[in-house]
Amino acid sequence: MVAMAVLCLLMLPGLPARAATPLVLTSGSQSLDAWSVASLQADASRERTAGDMLRRLDRFEAPPHRGGSIGAHQEAMWLRIPLAVPEAPTHQWIVNLDYGALQEIDIYLAQGGQVQQQALLGY
C-alpha cells in the first residue's frame, strides 16, 4: 500500500529566517513545480498526525532528487510544501499529483502551527 500525506504550510510575513522558501501562489500563477520547495519525512509507525508533524518541521529533509517521484515506500511519507499567498485569492488552485497508484492522500493546510483545512483524496 502506498500512502502519502501532504502538509502544506501557509507562510506569512515575519517568519523566522530558517523557514523554508515557499511556493508563491498569485492570481497570475499557472502551473507551479512544488518539487522545487518540497521536503520529506517518513513515518514508519503510520500513526503520526498532522499536529505531530507540525511539531517536527525541523526533521523534514530534501528529497533525494527533485524529479517528481519519491519511489515506493512501506512507511507513510509526509511531503511538506510551504506556500505563500501574498494577496487575497481570486480563484481556486488545483493540486495535481499525477500518480494514479496512490491509494490514500491526506492534504492539510496549516497556518501558525494549526491545521486550517484537511482534504482526503485517493481512489
Side-chain angles (χ1 to χ4, degrees):
M1 175 163 105
V2 178
M4 179 184 299
V6 179
L7 182 63
C8 297
L9 303 176
L10 185 60
M11 308 293 279
L12 298 174
L15 282 175
R18 67 173 181 63
T21 302
L23 187 66
V24 180
L25 303 178
T26 64
S27 59
S29 298
Q30 294 295 312
S31 179
L32 300 173
D33 179 16
W35 281 109
S36 65
V37 300
S39 55
L40 302 170
Q41 188 177 147
D43 175 11
S45 73
R46 296 182 180 210
E47 295 180 4
R48 290 210 161 90
T49 66
D52 295 335
M53 300 314 282
L54 286 167
R55 290 185 291 277
R56 301 167 57 93
L57 294 178
D58 60 331
R59 297 183 187 181
F60 278 77
E61 298 179 356
H65 49 80
R66 299 270 182 198
S69 174
I70 60 172
H73 295 271
Q74 292 298 317
E75 61 267 75
M77 297 299 294
W78 287 82
L79 176 64
R80 176 185 179 211
I81 303 170
L83 303 174
V85 184
E87 58 197 45
T90 58
H91 61 282
Q92 295 180 341
W93 287 282
I94 297 172
V95 176
N96 180 6
L97 298 174
D98 197 24
Y99 186 74
L102 288 175
Q103 295 174 354
E104 181 181 332
I105 305 156
D106 300 346
I107 298 179
Y108 301 92
L109 180 65
Q111 181 177 4
Q114 300 293 318
V115 173
Q116 302 296 312
Q117 292 181 352
Q118 177 180 0
L120 306 175
L121 309 172
Y123 61 80

